[in-house]
């Protein structure tokens, strides 16, 4: 395996491949002086004195783990190369021509695409995994590289040519970050129209029966209610979280929360018409102006009816004459009777009232169109919203997810030219321009009435400072931090939780959330997504049953391996139904996935299933460790 990158995702991915999958990995990173980010220990020591005192002990543990080949180290099997750019010579020196898979996880899309084109030419059978932020471009690049590999191998897609997978760390981490900020809203995995939701449920009361949903994914830590407990760590002991427990473990677990899986589809209201760029008619004019226009229209109708009664004209002709009088373009009624003259004078008076109303309507409409293309300010009295700090790559994806769930959001961004400003304008989300570390900025975002705070800027100390200040304003505010390093995130999480035991605190590392999906894609599996369970990760993958003795020829019940993997659904063709399905509701659906498979259903080699697996369980399912005789 070859991993090329310039930030923490490359190191985390290499550690994932070495520690979980026991692969031989060559890591290609820029020289130390030209790396985008400093080492974890260096960045932690560069923090302010107050923050350093708060997390001093945790930072020392982070440094020790790095020294022993932790997240940022190069322990395990493999080597590390330093190169400024992934040129053809560098890729050749890394052994791409003999490699099984190559991951290009540079922060720049153009660098990844250029290296992918070169690598595909050097090795058509190479499994390519690219990190691209532009999803539409990623689809085209994926098709192009797959077609190039098929032609170079002299056959079609099934001729043994290498495949290409394009992923985005922002897309992988955004659902978890958005869901963590909401109470009652779970962690979400969404792909190709499939929406899975993992719901955290409190321990059932005596006499109550917990609803397992589709299945029980995990048991939460026994210390989840202890502020100084192990919740948030990777500890797999008896007090830590248990992934994919069997029925006996679920029944034996008393006083522990669970994570249940549900399948849902977004059924909220559609986006208002104003978000498409053209405000609705009701938003063009104020309520007072609409009533004024309606009153003038009623006067015109009344005058037309009165003229019809006085003169005996046809209704259409009476209306026409009234409009002529209204706009003062009719001849004076010198020779007409007194009734006609009075009506003409009234029509002229109504016409004088109409002119300022029409002018006000034009000015108000222009102002509405102008405000639709500018940033909105938080409305007065806003409450129960989510304050989102940072509109970079991650923040933009999280903002989109929150608006898809119809959650009110107020964004705070220091750079008026940030990547997500256009998205905020399009979605008509209020934005406060300013540095979150400056006094008054969070107050402008109505932080004292907010539901939760999402600190997603690219600077760890900025996120931490904003959270600490927000907690001083409102001690029970729910906060979610995006922190660069997972060990540092764990340390901050435990400290904030101990200091504010009654408030919900979550610290998330994007590399921690994204690395398992990238590693699974390098192993040749279609990863649908990842759901974090406390500090552990549960992967969802679509797997062909053929070639896997742990699945093929076994029933769903026999294929289940507690703590490793569990079959969740079976993919079927349109109109096809799984054997053993008793009702049409268990047949094919829009997503063509059959859920709640009976335990007696026998998996065939032609089947394709969706399963939940731990990282080690997915590695075992690949069969690599069994061949090497390595016990993880």
């Amino acid at each position: 395996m070859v991993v090329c990158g310039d930030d923490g995702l490359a190191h985390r991915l290499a550690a994932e491949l070495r520690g979980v999958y026991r692969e031989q990995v060559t890591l290609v990173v820029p020289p130390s002086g030209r790396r985008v980010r400093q080492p974890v220990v260096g960045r932690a020591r560069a923090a302010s004195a107050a923050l350093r005192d708060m997390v001093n002990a945790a930072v020392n543990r982070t440094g020790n783990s790095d020294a022993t080949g932790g997240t940022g180290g190069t322990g395990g099997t493999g080597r590390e190369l330093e190169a400024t750019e992934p040129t053809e010579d560098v890729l050749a020196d890394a052994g791409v021509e003999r490699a099984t898979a190559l991951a290009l996880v540079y922060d720049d899309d153009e660098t990844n695409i250029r290296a992918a084109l070169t690598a595909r030419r050097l090795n058509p059978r190479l499994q390519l995994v690219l990190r691209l932020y532009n999803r539409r471009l990623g689809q085209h690049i994926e098709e192009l590289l797959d077609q190039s590999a098929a032609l170079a191998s002299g056959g079609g897609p099934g001729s043994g040519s290498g495949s290409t997978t394009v992923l985005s760390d922002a897309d992988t981490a955004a659902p978890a970050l958005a869901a963590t900020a909401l109470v009652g809203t779970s962690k979400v995995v969404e792909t190709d129209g499939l929406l899975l939701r993992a719901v955290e449920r409190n321990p059932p009361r005596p006499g109550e029966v917990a609803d397992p949903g589709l299945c029980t994914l995990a048991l939460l830590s026994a210390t989840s209610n202890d502020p100084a407990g192990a919740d948030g760590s990777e500890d797999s002991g008896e007090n830590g979280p248990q992934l994919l427990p069997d029925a006996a473990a679920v029944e034996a677990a008393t006083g522990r929360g669970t994570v249940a899986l549900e399948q849902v589809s977004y059924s909220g209201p559609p986006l208002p018409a104003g978000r498409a760029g053209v405000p609705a008619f009701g938003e063009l004019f104020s309520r007072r102006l609409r009533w004024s226009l309606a009153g003038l229209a009623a006067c015109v109708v009344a005058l037309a009816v009165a003229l019809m009664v006085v003169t005996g004209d046809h209704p259409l002709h009476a209306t026409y004459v009234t409009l002529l009088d209204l706009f003062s373009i009719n001849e004076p009624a010198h020779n007409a009777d007194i009734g006609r003259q009075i009506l003409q004078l009234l029509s002229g008076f109504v016409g004088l009232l109409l002119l300022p109303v029409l002018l006000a309507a034009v000015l108000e409409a222009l102002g509405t169109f102008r405000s639709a293309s500018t940033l909105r300010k938080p409305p007065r009295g806003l409450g129960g919203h989510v304050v989102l700090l940072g509109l970079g790559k991650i923040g933009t994806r999280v903002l989109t997810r929150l608006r898809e769930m119809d959650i009110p959001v107020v964004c705070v961004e220091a750079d008026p030219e940030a990547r997500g400003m256009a998205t905020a304008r399009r979605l008509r989300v209020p934005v406060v321009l300013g540095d979150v570390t400056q006094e008054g900025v969070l107050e402008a975002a109505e932080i004292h009435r907010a539901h939760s705070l999402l600190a997603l800027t690219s600077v760890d100390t900025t996120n931490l400072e904003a959270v600490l200040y927000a907690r001083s304003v409102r001690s029970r505010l729910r906060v979610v931090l995006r922190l660069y390093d997972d060990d540092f995130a764990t340390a901050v999480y435990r400290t904030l939780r101990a200091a504010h035991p009654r408030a919900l605190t979550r610290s998330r590392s994007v590399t921690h959330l994204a690395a398992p999906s990238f590693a699974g894609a390098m192993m040749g599996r279609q990863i649908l997504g990842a759901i974090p369970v406390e500090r552990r990760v549960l992967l969802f993958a679509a797997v062909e049953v053929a070639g896997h003795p742990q699945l093929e020829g076994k029933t769903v019940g026999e294929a289940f391996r507690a703590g490793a993997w569990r079959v969740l659904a079976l993919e079927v063709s349109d109109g096809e139904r799984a054997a053993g399905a008793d009702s049409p509701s268990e047949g094919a659906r829009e997503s063509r996935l059959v859920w709640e498979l009976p335990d007696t259903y026998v998996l065939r080699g032609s089947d394709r299933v969706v399963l939940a697996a731990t990282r080690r369980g997915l590695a075992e399912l690949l069969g690599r460790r069994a061949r090497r005789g390595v016990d993880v």
Side-chain angles (χ1 to χ4, degrees):
M1 303 286 177
V2 180
V3 177
C4 303
D6 57 0
D7 60 7
L9 180 58
H11 293 276
R12 179 79 192 197
L13 178 55
E16 188 85 14
L17 293 171
R18 292 166 179 165
V20 177
Y21 297 97
R22 288 297 187 262
E23 289 293 332
Q24 185 177 3
V25 182
T26 297
L27 179 61
V28 180
V29 292
S32 301
R34 301 191 60 177
R35 294 182 185 178
V36 175
R37 290 181 178 268
Q38 302 174 13
V40 177
V41 177
R43 290 186 298 104
R45 289 176 180 172
S48 62
L51 301 180
R52 182 174 63 248
D53 292 339
M54 184 183 65
V55 296
N56 184 45
V59 170
N60 289 333
R61 289 197 299 270
T62 303
N64 293 334
S65 67
D66 286 348
T68 56
T71 302
T74 58
T77 58
R79 59 184 179 134
E80 180 175 320
L81 300 178
E82 291 189 351
T84 304
E85 294 182 358
T87 61
E88 182 175 351
D89 294 337
V90 171
L91 294 177
D93 189 22
V96 168
E97 297 177 355
R98 303 178 304 276
T100 303
L102 167 66
L104 297 166
V105 293
Y106 290 94
D107 192 52
D108 179 51
D109 287 2
E110 183 179 350
T111 301
N112 292 329
I113 295 174
R114 186 187 304 114
L117 296 174
T118 303
R120 178 60 76 208
R121 179 169 49 83
L122 294 176
N123 186 355
R125 299 180 181 274
L126 187 67
Q127 176 80 20
L128 275 176
V129 178
L130 277 72
R131 170 190 182 183
L132 295 182
Y133 179 79
N134 191 327
R135 289 176 290 184
R136 180 175 299 179
L137 176 61
Q139 295 177 356
H140 296 304
I141 292 296
E142 186 173 334
E143 296 174 358
L144 175 64
L145 291 174
D146 283 346
Q147 183 178 1
S148 175
L151 294 176
S153 301
S159 61
S161 59
S163 62
T164 306
T165 304
V166 176
L167 297 175
S168 168
D169 56 336
D171 285 333
T172 304
L177 290 170
T180 308
L182 307 173
V183 171
T185 304
S186 54
K187 305 159 182 109
V188 176
V189 173
E190 182 180 6
T191 178
D192 296 332
L194 172 66
L195 189 63
L196 301 177
R197 181 174 66 178
V199 183
E200 291 188 9
R201 294 176 175 168
N202 295 324
R205 297 178 181 178
E208 292 182 352
V209 178
D211 181 13
L214 292 175
C215 67
T216 299
L217 292 177
L219 297 174
L220 299 177
S221 297
T223 58
S224 57
N225 295 323
D226 182 8
D231 181 20
S233 68
E234 294 279 357
D235 180 22
S236 58
E238 60 179 7
N239 291 329
Q242 297 183 19
L243 302 185
L244 302 176
D246 54 18
V250 175
E251 294 178 1
T254 57
R256 299 179 65 169
T258 61
V259 178
L261 181 68
E262 294 180 354
Q263 182 194 15
V264 297
S265 58
Y266 178 70
S267 58
L271 295 177
R275 292 180 187 166
V278 180
F281 177 80
E283 298 181 2
L284 280 176
F285 310 115
S286 64
R287 182 179 180 181
R288 181 178 300 176
L289 185 59
R290 292 198 301 269
W291 277 109
S292 300
L293 291 173
L296 289 175
C299 291
V300 172
V301 173
L303 289 172
V305 172
L307 183 62
M308 181 182 63
V309 172
V310 171
T311 62
D313 288 347
H314 188 273
L316 292 179
H317 185 267
T319 303
Y320 173 71
V321 172
T322 300
L323 291 177
L324 292 178
D325 294 337
L326 187 71
F327 294 110
S328 301
I329 56 178
N330 198 10
E331 294 183 359
H334 294 294
N335 301 322
D337 56 7
I338 187 66
R340 173 72 182 87
Q341 292 176 350
I342 293 176
L343 289 176
Q344 189 176 52
L345 292 175
L346 291 176
S347 299
F349 179 71
V350 173
L352 293 177
L353 297 178
L354 181 61
L355 290 178
V357 174
L358 291 178
L359 180 60
V362 171
L363 295 178
E364 197 165 290
L366 290 177
T368 302
F369 277 103
R370 186 182 298 111
S371 61
S373 61
T374 58
L375 295 176
R376 301 180 62 193
K377 295 182 179 180
R380 294 181 180 180
L382 179 65
H385 58 287
V386 176
V387 177
L388 175 62
L389 308 183
L391 286 176
K393 293 194 306 182
I394 305 297
T396 303
R397 292 287 193 253
V398 173
L399 172 62
T400 303
R401 295 280 180 167
L402 290 174
R403 294 307 301 141
E404 287 175 353
M405 294 186 286
D406 204 34
I407 303 298
V409 185
V410 174
C411 299
V412 179
E413 175 57 52
D415 183 11
E417 302 297 330
R419 187 193 298 263
M421 297 298 285
T423 302
R425 291 189 182 95
R426 176 174 56 84
L427 298 178
R428 304 189 67 192
V429 174
V431 178
V432 177
L433 288 176
D435 187 354
V436 295
T437 61
Q438 299 296 323
E439 185 176 357
V441 174
L442 287 179
E443 284 81 354
E446 308 289 347
I447 191 65
H448 56 285
R449 288 196 295 264
H451 178 275
S452 55
L453 172 66
L454 273 167
L456 304 180
T457 70
S458 58
V459 182
D460 289 0
T461 54
T462 299
N463 293 335
L464 189 54
E465 184 177 354
V467 167
L468 292 175
Y469 179 75
R471 276 285 167 81
S472 68
V473 176
R474 185 179 177 187
S475 60
R476 295 193 179 185
L477 180 69
R478 298 179 177 90
V479 298
V480 179
L481 293 86
R482 170 201 174 185
L483 296 177
Y484 174 70
D485 179 72
D486 187 55
D487 293 331
F488 188 60
T490 303
V492 172
Y493 165 79
R494 290 178 176 176
T495 305
L496 288 177
R497 184 174 177 181
H500 302 276
R502 297 185 178 181
L504 179 63
T505 303
R506 290 292 183 267
S507 58
R508 291 291 181 255
S509 167
V510 174
T511 58
H512 173 83
L513 298 175
S517 296
F518 280 83
M522 291 185 71
M523 304 305 296
R525 291 296 175 262
Q526 182 181 356
I527 303 298
L528 300 180
I531 287 180
V533 179
E534 295 180 3
R535 302 305 301 174
R536 305 184 67 185
V537 175
L538 199 60
L539 299 177
F540 291 82
V543 178
E544 301 286 348
V545 173
H548 297 285
Q550 303 95 329
L551 304 177
E552 189 172 4
K554 297 182 180 295
T555 64
V556 173
E558 295 172 345
F560 171 55
R561 180 82 58 87
W565 63 76
R566 178 171 188 167
V567 176
L568 300 177
L570 172 70
E571 182 176 343
V572 296
S573 304
D574 293 335
E576 181 184 351
R577 294 177 57 186
D582 298 328
S583 64
S585 62
E586 296 178 353
R589 304 178 183 179
E590 291 184 2
S591 60
R592 298 192 303 162
L593 290 174
V594 177
W595 297 90
E596 298 181 0
L597 288 171
D599 290 340
T600 56
Y601 176 74
V602 180
L603 299 174
R604 300 167 294 180
S606 58
D607 289 338
R608 190 169 184 262
V609 296
V610 174
L611 53 83
T614 62
R615 293 177 293 182
R616 296 178 183 270
L618 185 60
E620 182 179 349
L621 193 62
L622 296 176
R624 293 176 179 265
R625 291 182 300 169
R627 292 194 299 268
R628 297 180 182 181
V630 179
D631 183 15
V632 179

